[in-house]
Amino acid sequence: MTLNAWIPVFALMTSLIASLVIFALPEKGYRLRTAVNLVAALLKLGLVVVMVRGVFLGVDYGVSFTMVPGVTFVLKADAFSMMFAGLSAVLWLLTTIYAVGYLEDSPNRSRFFGFFSLCVASTMGIALAGNLFTFFLFYEMLTLSTYPLVVHRGTETALKAGRTYLIYTLTGGAVLLLAIAWLHGVAGDLPFREGGHFIDADPDIHRSLILIFMLLVAGLGVKAAIFPLHGWLPQAMVAPAPVSALLHAVAVVKAGAFGIVRVVYDIYGVEASSALGLLEPLSWLAAFTILYASVRALRQVDLKRRLAFSTVSQVSYIILGVSIFGPVAAVGGLVHLLHQGIMKITLFFCAGNYAETLGIHRIDEMDGAGRRMPGTSVAFTIGAFGMIGAPPLAGFITKWTMGSGSLAVNMDWVVVVLVFSSLLNAAYFLPVLYRLWFREAGVTWPHERHWGRLETSAWLYWPPLLTAAMTVMVGVLASLPFSPLSWAELIMLREYAP
Amino acid sequence: MMLPGSVLVLVAVCLPLLYPAMALHAGWVRAMRYVLPVLPLPALLLALGSEPGWQLEMPWLLNGGLWAMDELRRLFLLLTAVLWLVAGIYAVGYLTSHHLRRFCVFWGLTLAGNLGLTVAVDIGSFYSFFALMTFAGYGLVVHEGTNEAIRAGRVYLVMAVLGEMAILMGLLLASAAAGSQMLADLPEGIAASPRRDLIMALLIAGFGVKAGLPLLHFWLPLAHPVAPTPASAVLSGAMIKAGLLGWLVTLPFGEAALPGWGALMIVAGAVGAIGAAVVGVCQQRPKAVLAYSSISQMGLMVLMVGVALADSGRAPVLFPVIALYALHHGLAKGSLFLSAGMSLPAGAIPRAGAWILIALPGLSLAGLPFTSGALAKLAMKEGLLENRLELALASYLSPLMAAGVVATLLLVLRYLWILAGKLEIGDNPPMLVAGWLTAIGVSLVAFWWMPWDVGGLVESPVWLPAPYQLWALLWPMLIASGLALLTVLASWLVKQR
């Protein structure tokens, strides 16, 4: 075993060990816990940076253990792994900082941060999994480690949301396991491979492959919140803001989307998926989800619920992108994995700031908040415009790339969906921005707190500003090497010419 | 020591773009007001001091950035910089402390967008700046916070978002057809594309929202008047031209004759030029009259765009004329708008002088000899000579232009008439007067030293029309004056009874 083989293991272990250490720490060890959290997050970020550079240069990171004959546990890092791992590492650091400030003086912080690290370890495992079996292990670990976070507050609504969440995700997990087992029976233990495995599959197994694909998408679609499997997500809004931020931007929904991309590109292969006629229905489903969830978002009065439906809509961009048989459109879908994460985490951080600082939860309470909290509101504005797809922000790069790619393969209807989705996004974000900046504030806020010089606690103030700056940067500097767009292009280059 | 254009352009765009950051420091808010006039200065230097032809390549920007300046863009850049400069000077004196910081932030962002789109050559940058101008402009429109402003803002925003989406779709399709991320490749790509007509429709409509194309103009007479006066001036003088520039740099001029689209634009231009005047003279508020006058004037430019589309050989001749006309109209209209926020001096002689200065840019719009308007009208006339054109509607153009002058002057007279009832005697803040006088000076005097080009259509000396041209310029104005007099008389008689 060389060092290269172990780097993915180390990257996985940082969050895992941090999690165990935090569980062991006493509830009062606030400083030590914060230190452990931040050191682990920085360490992981460093390891991911090393791996990104390595993957770019063509280094092979991988390690595998045979569990039982025919079933192997494989960790490896390819370009696509690093996309998800990078997202997870960067946003974990920021969310940790944010969560420290958000949960100041609240009970059960030890439990919270323990599961929080465990959840991040799961996403890392999902990113580095080298075959479906390994992927499944971490996928389920993610379910179990996020449940305590969703019900963290312990209220009646939180417990109810947690139940819904478990029912949905465990059922999804069972379906996924069934599909993986069936596929194992049909084709054996398949590692994720650029270009896939089924380009010249035996016609006898076509029917099975189609059915397995449907089951796989159904199982993964629960976490990716594809219609009609999205019902748990808006309910999970009762979780504290940092959890929502993580669930929406990084962990759960992205794990589902990531899995679907893996299945399409690295198990079946995009050509085989297209030949089996699997992509087109998937693209319709994604397009429908995009529009349906946006319409639902319009009618929400609670800010976080509106953002939740927006997530349902935006995650399906990724699915839509990869279900178009063409490299450019797929780049647009993949790049949204990062873009949506950065933008959405910004919006959730801001929603959390309004809730913590002013006690604002509903949209009609936001009048005039821009003047009271300019930093947070600027960040929110950038995030919202990014979601609308206004240039030169992250969302525009996604839409432009996906649009160009769809036109290149004569799927013009996708452009219409993109534009309609932009219109709907404008319809549910612009009124919020109007309230923020152009309405006069009421006499008092629902529940205001003060933090000296800044508009809110420094722990809460800087993360959204940083992610908002990233939203601008990944758009404006889209053509730099190692930008999300360039990285997505690298992935597709390797997928289409393995 | 003169900076090269490619460096100066970064300063010109980034200065207004970064200026809003001043708002983060509470102590700097008072200073923000005085920085307003400084913001467009580098851009002005760029337009006047750098030779067209420089390029700034930024391969890391969006999908590959390229900013450059050619003769056409230079005029639009100049117009934008000058107008924002005079409006900025005016704003220093005009603005109250009501949400001053917010206004300055949106001012800077809108200006950055408006300047940037004139030098952006790649699609991504152009569309980014265009969108920035559109969305930040909302903040200027609703600034006063009255119910009327909020209503106007809502209409503005809905139309603007629809327009943005049409542009996005049009640019996407055009970019795919051309296989390029540069504006310069779009005309050829559109002309050869099987989806040509769809792309044309999207771009014409999308940019048409900004340019006040008839049926897409509803927001304009609502939004331009409710904005604070300096913002009205840049909305109607400079930002409206962004739509025009959008057409000029994307549509397939000179690639293929498009008689259908040409005829459509000619008709739309004629409807705009005449129709807006009919509606405009019925308005009760001075700035609303000017907003309709802007639609009417844009109608004449739309008409020229239509001719250039229909007769592909004529496009290179007409481009400089359209740019010249846009420059003239922007400066004159800006001056007129700024006069709407003035107070009059007390003495009889200074007051008469003030009225002359208020009226002159308006008469310039109608083509008064020895003004920029006379030159623009003559160049347009020569550009649209019937025997030079190959299109069905050619014989209608000359009477249309004459009717346009009548319409223009009637609107200007209507504006002056309402203004006479509205303006009060009082003192003006010095900066407000300085801004207004600069605007008029630029429109009437400095214009003659600006780098426009009449393409040899008008014989030199360009400022001195020949006797027969004088008559051609004056007779529609006399008709309009006669009509106005008759109206005044009639209303006086009605009052007597």
Side-chain angles (χ1 to χ4, degrees):
Chain A
M1 293 287 269
T2 59
L3 177 66
N4 277 349
W6 282 98
I7 287 188
V9 181
F10 289 145
L12 193 61
M13 293 310 254
T14 46
S15 326
L16 212 55
I17 291 170
S19 155
L20 296 175
V21 170
I22 288 166
F23 277 130
L25 284 176
E27 181 64 36
K28 288 206 177 61
Y30 156 76
R31 292 223 163 133
L32 188 55
R33 186 170 53 236
T34 307
V36 170
N37 256 323
L38 291 180
V39 168
L42 284 168
L43 201 61
K44 187 173 128 175
L45 189 58
L47 286 169
V48 168
V49 168
V50 169
M51 279 199 286
V52 164
R53 192 176 155 274
V55 166
F56 182 74
L57 297 172
V59 179
D60 200 12
Y61 296 104
V63 53
S64 73
F65 313 98
T66 304
M67 316 285 284
V68 291
V71 180
T72 45
F73 176 90
V74 185
L75 290 181
K76 75 181 192 56
D78 59 12
F80 188 40
S81 308
M82 292 333 296
M83 192 169 211
F84 195 34
L87 176 79
S88 145
V90 172
L91 297 189
W92 183 38
L93 177 62
L94 291 171
T95 316
T96 302
I97 293 170
Y98 185 86
V100 168
Y102 195 89
L103 294 168
E104 227 167 25
D105 315 324
S106 71
N108 305 325
R109 272 180 289 169
S110 180
R111 186 185 74 190
F112 178 90
F113 279 108
F115 283 115
F116 197 72
S117 299
L118 205 56
C119 157
V120 174
S122 322
T123 58
M124 204 63 196
I126 287 169
L128 296 171
N131 63 8
L132 276 174
F133 169 75
T134 317
F135 177 88
F136 177 77
L137 285 185
F138 288 112
Y139 192 78
E140 289 305 288
M141 183 171 134
L142 180 64
T143 303
L144 300 176
S145 61
T146 42
Y147 172 77
L149 298 176
V150 173
V151 298
H152 179 73
R153 292 242 167 88
T155 57
E156 191 55 46
T157 15
L159 289 168
K160 190 166 162 293
R163 258 200 310 280
T164 313
Y165 175 63
L166 271 191
I167 291 168
Y168 268 93
T169 45
L170 289 177
T171 314
V175 172
L176 183 63
L177 183 60
L178 174 70
I180 293 173
W182 188 359
L183 189 65
H184 198 279
V186 170
D189 185 8
L190 301 173
F192 293 141
R193 190 174 75 187
E194 279 153 352
H197 295 275
F198 295 133
I199 185 59
D200 34 23
D202 185 0
D204 298 348
I205 59 165
H206 277 190
R207 179 180 293 261
S208 313
L209 285 180
I210 292 170
L211 287 172
I212 292 170
F213 186 88
M214 287 171 166
L215 287 175
L216 285 169
V217 169
L220 294 162
V222 170
K223 276 208 172 74
I226 299 177
F227 177 88
L229 310 171
H230 63 279
W232 61 272
L233 185 63
Q235 283 196 42
M237 282 303 83
V238 295
V243 176
S244 307
L246 202 67
L247 292 185
H248 281 258
V250 190
V252 177
V253 290
K254 289 294 164 61
F258 181 86
I260 290 175
V261 178
R262 277 286 195 220
V263 167
V264 170
Y265 274 93
D266 294 344
I267 292 291
Y268 278 65
V270 67
E271 283 180 59
S273 308
S274 177
L276 290 168
L278 300 168
L279 291 186
E280 211 167 332
L282 189 59
S283 67
W284 296 334
L285 195 59
F288 179 78
T289 306
I290 288 174
L291 296 177
Y292 165 84
S294 293
V295 172
R296 288 289 304 273
L298 276 174
R299 305 221 313 272
Q300 306 303 321
V301 290
D302 182 278
L303 178 61
K304 278 174 78 181
R305 268 185 78 86
R306 186 173 285 196
L307 293 180
F309 277 108
S310 157
T311 301
V312 175
S313 167
Q314 295 276 340
V315 170
S316 275
Y317 273 79
I318 305 167
I319 315 293
L320 179 59
V322 298
S323 64
I324 297 168
F325 181 32
V328 180
V331 166
L334 284 190
V335 79
H336 209 52
L337 196 87
L338 295 184
H339 284 172
Q340 190 269 348
I342 296 167
M343 296 189 289
K344 188 61 83 184
I345 207 163
T346 307
L347 292 171
F348 270 107
F349 282 161
C350 294
N353 282 1
Y354 291 129
E356 270 305 90
T357 317
L358 305 176
I360 291 175
H361 298 280
R362 289 205 322 274
I363 289 163
D364 57 11
E365 294 168 329
M366 295 175 76
D367 289 7
R371 209 171 172 159
R372 165 67 178 78
M373 300 179 71
T376 300
S377 302
V378 165
F380 189 90
T381 305
I382 290 173
F385 270 117
M387 287 290 177
I388 293 169
L393 306 175
F396 166 70
I397 299 292
T398 300
K399 286 196 166 107
W400 185 263
T401 314
M402 260 173 92
S404 302
S406 322
L407 291 171
V409 295
N410 296 320
M411 288 178 70
D412 302 7
W413 62 269
V414 173
V415 176
V416 180
V417 170
L418 292 178
V419 166
F420 255 93
S421 150
S422 283
L423 275 178
L424 288 164
N425 269 282
Y428 62 78
F429 276 123
L430 291 179
V432 180
L433 299 183
Y434 170 74
R435 282 180 184 276
L436 274 182
W437 298 110
F438 298 102
R439 283 276 184 96
E440 298 297 332
V443 183
T444 55
W445 301 103
H447 181 82
E448 188 173 11
R449 299 167 60 189
H450 286 283
W451 270 279
R453 213 171 55 81
L454 284 177
E455 64 197 49
T456 179
S457 142
W459 294 94
L460 305 181
Y461 180 73
W462 292 109
L465 279 180
L466 270 171
T467 50
M470 280 152 88
T471 303
V472 178
M473 300 295 261
V474 297
V476 170
L477 306 177
S479 292
L480 274 185
F482 296 99
S483 75
L485 183 69
S486 307
W487 195 256
E489 282 166 351
L490 174 81
I491 294 172
M492 276 301 136
L493 196 73
R494 294 183 180 182
E495 290 289 356
Y496 274 81
Chain B
M1 169 61 205
M2 179 72 197
L3 285 171
S6 51
V7 179
L8 191 56
V9 68
L10 278 175
V11 181
V13 171
C14 291
L15 179 67
L17 196 60
L18 298 177
Y19 158 80
M22 279 180 78
L24 295 176
H25 195 293
W28 293 350
V29 176
R30 286 195 51 191
M32 281 185 88
R33 173 200 297 258
Y34 297 100
V35 180
L36 287 177
V38 180
L39 299 178
L41 286 179
L44 186 62
L45 196 64
L46 181 69
L48 292 174
S50 73
E51 276 306 306
W54 54 258
Q55 285 197 340
L56 174 63
E57 278 186 57
M58 291 175 282
W60 40 265
L61 185 79
L62 295 159
N63 292 313
L66 177 68
W67 297 357
M69 190 172 81
D70 50 26
E71 294 291 353
L72 176 79
R73 287 186 165 84
R74 181 186 202 173
L75 283 195
F76 278 86
L77 178 66
L78 178 64
L79 165 67
T80 307
V82 168
L83 212 53
W84 281 88
L85 173 66
V86 295
I89 299 171
Y90 187 96
V92 175
Y94 180 90
L95 290 176
T96 57
S97 57
H98 168 75
H99 283 296
L100 177 68
R101 180 166 51 157
R102 189 178 75 190
F103 182 84
C104 288
V105 166
F106 286 115
W107 182 272
L109 292 175
T110 315
L111 170 58
N114 199 356
L115 288 175
L117 66 88
T118 59
V119 290
V121 181
D122 65 296
I123 299 173
S125 301
F126 178 81
Y127 185 51
S128 298
F129 284 124
F130 197 90
L132 176 65
M133 180 185 83
T134 300
F135 286 115
Y138 174 83
L140 302 179
V141 171
V142 299
H143 175 73
E144 301 286 358
T146 57
N147 286 337
E148 198 189 353
I150 289 163
R151 242 200 336 273
R154 190 174 305 136
V155 180
Y156 169 88
L157 203 55
V158 169
M159 296 286 288
V161 169
L162 290 173
E164 291 291 322
M165 292 304 145
I167 294 171
L168 174 64
M169 245 170 150
L171 288 178
L172 255 177
L173 289 163
S175 161
S180 159
Q181 301 285 350
M182 294 295 154
L183 289 171
D185 301 321
L186 294 189
E188 203 181 335
I190 296 172
S193 165
R195 300 201 195 87
R196 185 190 73 191
D197 290 343
L198 174 64
I199 300 175
M200 296 274 298
L202 287 166
L203 291 176
I204 285 178
F207 289 123
V209 170
K210 245 322 147 292
L213 203 63
L215 299 184
L216 302 175
H217 70 280
F218 296 109
W219 63 275
L220 199 150
L222 299 171
H224 285 199
V226 296
T229 297
S232 300
V234 288
L235 271 162
S236 236
M239 286 159 71
I240 200 171
K241 304 291 189 308
L244 178 69
L245 183 65
W247 286 330
L248 296 182
V249 296
T250 54
L251 297 182
F253 295 97
E255 292 293 335
L258 299 163
W261 286 108
L264 184 78
M265 290 294 266
I266 291 171
V267 171
V271 169
I274 311 299
V278 174
V279 182
V281 290
C282 305
Q283 298 300 311
Q284 300 301 327
R285 282 167 317 162
K287 283 207 255 168
V289 178
L290 289 185
Y292 276 104
S293 162
S294 290
I295 299 175
S296 170
Q297 292 289 314
M298 286 306 289
L300 295 174
M301 288 172 243
V302 171
L303 191 145
M304 285 193 269
V305 167
V307 173
L309 279 176
D311 185 347
S312 56
R314 204 68 182 143
V317 180
L318 281 172
F319 262 43
V321 182
I322 296 173
L324 166 72
Y325 204 103
L327 178 69
H328 138 75
H329 169 252
L331 297 174
K333 186 55 59 67
S335 310
L336 273 178
F337 259 108
L338 293 184
S339 59
M342 310 268 302
S343 308
L344 292 170
I349 293 173
R351 201 175 336 159
W355 275 113
I356 289 173
L357 286 180
I358 291 173
L360 269 174
L363 297 173
S364 166
L365 279 180
L368 185 73
F370 310 110
T371 61
S372 59
L375 178 68
K377 293 266 187 263
L378 291 175
M380 180 174 163
K381 222 177 166 59
E382 292 295 321
L384 300 182
L385 272 184
E386 206 180 326
N387 52 15
R388 299 269 174 81
L389 294 180
E390 292 173 23
L391 70 149
L393 294 166
S395 55
Y396 294 96
L397 294 177
S398 186
L400 260 176
M401 282 185 276
V405 173
V406 175
T408 305
L409 191 56
L410 281 176
L411 279 174
V412 169
L413 293 172
R414 172 70 183 159
Y415 168 71
L416 295 172
W417 178 259
I418 305 175
L419 205 62
K422 281 245 177 3
L423 289 192
E424 293 169 2
I425 308 284
D427 284 332
N428 292 308
M431 287 300 270
L432 188 139
V433 179
W436 176 65
L437 286 176
T438 316
I440 291 173
V442 170
S443 165
L444 296 174
V445 183
F447 170 84
W448 299 104
W449 283 271
M450 284 182 179
W452 38 259
D453 168 30
V454 287
L457 289 169
V458 181
E459 286 181 22
S460 55
V462 284
W463 52 272
L464 182 66
Y468 74 93
Q469 288 173 325
L470 277 176
W471 175 240
L473 287 169
L474 285 170
W475 70 259
M477 294 178 72
L478 291 174
I479 290 182
S481 312
L483 280 173
L485 268 174
L486 279 176
T487 318
V488 172
L489 260 171
S491 65
W492 181 75
L493 284 171
V494 169
K495 273 193 191 135
Q496 290 299 305
R497 291 179 62 190

